[in-house]
């Protein structure tokens, strides 16, 4: 057995963390032979609930969990951590403008970026789940200049998983037969779910999903909208936002970052943009990436038609607006 690694989950008293902590603690992300010290961060009013989560983790009797550190202090939460799931954020309240939400969350991710900079390992892998995830990741990285920008990412894996599930259902295939669905841009309603590069194994042969479905109007219409609006559909049905599926996607994201992607397959992650595919530079943009030795690289050479380019332009514009608003809040402090 290797030495334990320290993993932090923020928003640890919330609903996504409730599913996420169990999956991480079982060894589904870092491996079934990797012992863990779990750091659980939430805000002071949630300290009591956090104690309950600690009790349940103990009662799960999981062999990989060597220690659990519940805290409301970012300095303790981020001390020597190797991986961070930044789930905790301010939820949107009734009557709250998007701008107010962004402003509240930017402040949280500024503080957490500063604490990561001071206390975390420099090779830490940071996954931001809390919304607005892309811009929160950008702010967090901005305030942690001693950690490489490549070590910060935002989650669009839930959108990718939703898209993959839609394609598998349409083709009546098991989920494992479908790969390379791409999410471009922001984790918001402007994201562009794209099946142009997706592949499916049909009767033992690899085929392009685009040809197998053979219905451009579906792939450019309902498919895109279902994925874009899936979060809202879950809220309408469950009266609460996606939690089990968000936790699973966070595990998938970190698992692939830690362990690498399979040859020929890629996954979508919000990462710092180098301007690939005409995306604006220096925003956290979701791209298709391949991962080796814990380093991601943006998949190059995919063809974007005019429809795809127009969709990328919409989500790019939104990310630039969010960046401007976020930096204005940071600079005003
Ligand atoms: P929740 O409200 O159940 O839990 C959030 C937790 O974060 C609460 O316990 C709260 O006290 C805590 N928190 C707030 N401020 C904090 C801070 N400064 N430090 C540490 N903890 C803090 O919310 P839920 O359902 O767990 O969702 C969490 C976030 O994930 C939300 O922002 C949600 O919009 C986002 N989300 C993102 C998805 C994605 O695909 N990127 C998918 C689904 C949700």
């Amino acid at each position: 057995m290797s030495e334990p690694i320290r993993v932090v989950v923020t928003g640890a008293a919330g609903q996504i963390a409730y599913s996420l902590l169990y999956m991480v603690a079982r060894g589904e992300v870092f491996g079934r032979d990797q012992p863990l010290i779990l750091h659980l961060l939430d805000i002071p009013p949630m300290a009591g609930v956090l104690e309950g989560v600690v009790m349940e983790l103990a009662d799960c009797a999981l062999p990989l969990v060597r220690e659990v550190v519940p805290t409301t202090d970012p300095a303790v939460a981020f001390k020597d951590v190797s991986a961070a799931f930044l789930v905790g954020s301010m939820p949107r309240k009734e009557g709250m403008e998007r701008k107010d939400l962004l402003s509240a969350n930017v402040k949280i991710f500024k503080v957490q970026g500063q604490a990561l900079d001071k206390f975390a390992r420099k090779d830490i892998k940071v996954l931001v789940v809390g919304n607005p995830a892309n811009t929160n990741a950008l702010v967090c990285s901005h305030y942690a200049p001693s950690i490489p920008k490549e070590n910060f990412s935002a989650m669009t894996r839930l959108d990718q998983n939703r898209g993959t599930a839609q394609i598998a259902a349409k083709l009546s295939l098991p989920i494992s037969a479908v790969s390379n669905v791409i999410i471009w841009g922001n984790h918001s309603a402007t994201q562009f779910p794209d099946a142009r590069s997706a592949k499916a194994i049909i009767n033992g042969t690899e085929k392009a999903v685009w040809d197998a479905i053979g219905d451009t109007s579906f792939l450019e219409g309902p498919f895109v909208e279902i994925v874009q609006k899936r979060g809202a559909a879950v809220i309408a049905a469950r009266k609460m936002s996606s939690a089990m599926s968000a936790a699973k996607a966070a595990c998938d994201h970190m698992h692939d970052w830690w362990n690498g992607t399979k040859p020929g397959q890629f996954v979508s992650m919000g990462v710092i943009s180098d301007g690939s595919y005409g995306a604006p530079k220096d925003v956290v943009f979701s791209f298709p990436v391949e991962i080796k030795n814990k380093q991601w690289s943006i998949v190059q050479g995919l063809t974007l038609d005019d429809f795809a380019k127009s969709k990328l332009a919409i989500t790019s514009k939104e990310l630039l607006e969010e960046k401007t608003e976020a930096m204005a809040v940071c600079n005003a402090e």
Side-chain angles (χ1 to χ4, degrees):
M1 277 252 174
S2 22
E3 282 296 299
I5 55 166
R6 293 176 186 271
V7 175
V8 62
V9 175
T10 74
Q15 54 152 2
I16 292 177
Y18 194 70
S19 294
L20 174 64
L21 282 166
Y22 178 67
M23 292 186 226
V24 172
R26 289 258 307 175
E28 288 174 22
V29 178
F30 303 101
R32 292 188 183 269
D33 55 357
Q34 176 59 65
L36 302 164
I37 299 173
L38 296 174
H39 292 204
L40 275 46
L41 178 71
D42 213 293
I43 49 176
M46 298 302 281
V49 177
L50 204 53
E51 280 307 321
V53 175
V54 175
M55 284 186 228
E56 283 211 70
L57 274 171
D59 298 347
C60 285
L62 292 160
L64 291 175
V65 179
R66 294 298 156 83
E67 196 185 337
V68 179
V69 183
T71 181
T72 56
D73 180 358
V76 175
F78 295 127
K79 181 84 183 131
D80 296 334
V81 289
S82 296
F85 294 87
L86 304 187
V87 181
S89 64
M90 170 86 82
R92 193 169 195 150
K93 297 191 190 120
E94 225 174 327
M96 207 176 189
E97 296 282 328
R98 193 175 138 259
K99 230 179 170 154
D100 301 333
L101 182 77
L102 189 115
S103 159
N105 281 302
V106 158
K107 288 175 195 153
I108 292 175
F109 284 85
K110 176 178 176 178
V111 170
Q112 296 193 352
Q114 288 165 335
L116 282 164
D117 195 51
K118 253 181 154 163
F119 302 109
R121 287 172 57 109
K122 300 303 171 200
D123 62 354
I124 186 175
K125 306 289 179 226
V126 181
L127 165 58
V128 177
V129 175
N131 280 319
N134 297 53
T135 300
N136 287 342
L138 184 73
V139 169
C140 202
S141 159
H142 182 76
Y143 285 99
S146 68
I147 300 170
K149 290 201 179 315
E150 291 72 25
N151 296 18
F152 291 83
S153 65
M155 187 167 95
T156 52
R157 185 61 170 261
L158 176 54
D159 310 296
Q160 178 194 314
N161 287 350
R162 287 166 171 163
T164 307
Q166 292 299 320
I167 298 285
K170 184 85 177 166
L171 291 169
S172 304
L173 292 171
I175 201 93
S176 56
V178 179
S179 59
N180 295 6
V181 170
I182 300 173
I183 304 299
W184 299 94
N186 202 2
H187 169 70
S188 76
T190 69
Q191 65 174 266
F192 175 41
D194 176 15
R196 281 168 181 69
S197 305
K199 300 186 292 189
I201 309 285
I202 302 173
N203 300 325
T205 311
E206 188 177 282
K207 297 217 166 99
V209 159
W210 205 266
D211 300 335
I213 292 184
D215 183 352
T216 300
S217 62
F218 168 76
L219 289 166
E220 291 186 346
F223 168 70
V224 171
E225 279 162 34
I226 287 169
V227 178
Q228 285 177 335
K229 295 181 183 161
R230 187 70 163 185
V234 169
I235 293 176
R238 221 172 74 88
K239 315 294 175 228
M240 284 197 285
S241 61
S242 313
M244 177 171 53
S245 55
K248 158 69 167 52
C251 289
D252 288 348
H253 177 123
M254 191 64 89
H255 173 275
D256 289 349
W257 202 356
W258 208 259
N259 298 289
T261 46
K262 294 184 193 138
Q265 294 198 353
F266 45 75
V267 293
S268 291
M269 277 168 70
V271 294
I272 190 74
S273 170
D274 61 354
S276 291
Y277 297 102
K281 273 190 186 173
D282 300 325
V283 296
V284 170
F285 196 94
S286 180
F287 287 107
V289 301
E290 289 169 321
I291 304 161
K292 249 191 214 161
N293 304 324
K294 297 194 171 75
Q295 308 286 330
W296 53 263
S297 55
I298 297 170
V299 176
Q300 298 295 338
L302 303 175
T303 313
L304 295 182
D305 55 22
D306 287 345
F307 179 85
K309 281 182 194 157
S310 72
K311 293 287 179 192
L312 258 70
I314 295 169
T315 198
S316 295
K317 182 168 174 278
E318 184 182 53
L319 279 169
L320 284 171
E321 285 165 7
E322 283 188 12
K323 179 179 175 176
T324 306
E325 285 172 31
M327 289 309 157
V329 174
C330 291
N331 295 335
E333 288 230 307

